[in-house]
């Protein structure tokens, strides 16, 4: 909860949330999100587990990464990631997701990881492709977001395609 103000500072910027459905308008929205939408342990079916992405020395929260555990039987996880603008373009999202993929495939033995991306979210598409994810679908006007219908591209990778770092 002590990170709520920091999270609000970057998650409330229009150029950060433009491709995301969660758009906090006040710090109370962030506090409610932390209280009600985030679980304490990963790998619970139908939950989001939220990781903080931090730099050490000096300590700074620089972003967050959400893991959506779809259902235990199917062993599939959706990932979402957000970085503060001033920490983008430096490789931190790639570094963070490599560790997350190692954890999901290596420790939790998940079968498939996927991400859902707006076709105009070029940085996110480059990120998925840099991680070796495959474009598997392009749904046309399938998401109602920001008062308009948006296309949705799905990228995915399977456990046997991922080389543990
Ligand atoms: C999606 C998002 C996290 C990607 O961030 P990013 O900074 O582009 O990704 P990385 O941190 O991995 O940085 C990679 C970039 O840094 C460059 N880079 C510089 N130094 C690097 C290094 N040491 N290692 C790797 N890449 C490096 C890469 O060339 C790459 O640039 P490019 O994409 O122009 O080729 C970011 O755009 C974001 O937060 N967007 C808003 C939220 C959002 O829409 N999230 C996705 C939907 S959930």
């Amino acid at each position: 909860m002590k990170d709520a103000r920091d999270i609000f500072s970057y998650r409330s910027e229009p150029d950060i949330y433009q491709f995301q459905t969660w758009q906090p308008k006040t710090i109370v929205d962030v506090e409610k999100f932390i209280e009600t939408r985030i679980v304490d342990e990963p790998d619970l079916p139908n939950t989001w587990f939220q990781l903080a992405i931090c730099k050490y020395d000096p300590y700074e929260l620089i972003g967050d990464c959400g893991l959506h555990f779809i259902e235990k039987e199917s062993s599939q996880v959706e990932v979402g990631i957000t970085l503060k603008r001033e920490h983008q373009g430096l490789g931190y999202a790639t570094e963070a997701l490599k560790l997350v993929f190692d954890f999901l495939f290596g420790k939790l033995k998940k079968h498939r990881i996927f991400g859902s991306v707006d076709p105009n979210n070029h940085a996110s598409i480059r990120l998925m492709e840099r991680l070796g994810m495959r474009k598997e679908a392009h749904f046309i006007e399938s998401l109602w977001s920001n008062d308009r219908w948006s296309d949705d591209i799905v990228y995915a990778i399977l456990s046997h395609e991922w080389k543990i770092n």
Side-chain angles (χ1 to χ4, degrees):
M1 199 53 93
K2 69 183 183 345
D3 293 322
R5 187 160 298 280
D6 212 3
I7 294 168
F8 179 67
S9 73
Y10 65 93
R11 283 298 207 122
S12 60
E13 287 183 20
D15 65 326
I16 294 285
Y17 69 55
Q18 61 179 320
F19 300 118
Q20 295 177 321
T21 46
W22 186 60
Q23 303 176 354
K25 300 278 180 282
T26 67
I27 189 153
V28 175
D29 291 342
V30 179
E31 288 168 352
K32 273 196 196 134
F33 180 84
I34 293 170
E35 254 171 30
T36 59
R37 294 272 307 277
I38 299 177
V39 291
D40 291 336
E41 65 172 298
D43 207 12
L44 299 176
N46 302 317
T47 64
W48 280 91
F49 183 76
Q50 205 76 16
L51 293 161
I53 304 172
C54 304
K55 271 180 82 171
Y56 291 99
D57 204 16
Y59 173 84
E60 185 183 357
L61 178 91
I62 65 166
D64 60 86
C65 174
L67 310 181
H68 183 197
F69 292 92
I70 306 295
E71 46 183 312
K72 217 161 189 118
E73 299 73 28
S74 67
S75 293
Q76 304 195 56
V77 183
E78 178 183 6
V79 293
I81 187 161
T82 307
L83 284 183
K84 282 183 184 173
R85 196 175 11 182
E86 63 269 32
H87 293 289
Q88 294 181 10
L90 298 169
Y92 290 126
T94 306
E95 185 180 339
L97 283 183
K98 277 184 179 170
L99 291 169
V100 166
F101 284 18
D102 280 355
F103 172 70
L104 293 174
F105 286 137
K107 178 109 175 146
L108 297 187
K109 305 290 179 211
K110 293 298 171 188
H111 166 66
R112 178 174 177 265
I113 297 171
F114 68 96
S116 168
V117 197
D118 185 296
N120 296 311
N121 194 347
H122 304 295
S124 188
I125 287 172
R126 286 197 299 277
L127 174 62
M128 305 257 162
E129 290 182 346
R130 202 178 302 118
L131 288 159
M133 299 176 88
R134 174 185 40 252
K135 182 176 168 181
E136 295 193 336
H138 184 146
F139 298 103
I140 309 297
E141 295 194 11
S142 59
L143 290 178
W144 180 253
S145 171
N146 297 335
D147 296 328
R148 64 183 174 90
W149 286 106
S150 301
D151 286 10
D152 181 31
I153 295 182
V154 175
Y155 275 86
I157 188 165
L158 301 173
S159 62
H160 66 82
E161 297 170 322
W162 181 251
K163 193 168 148 282
I164 304 283
N165 293 280

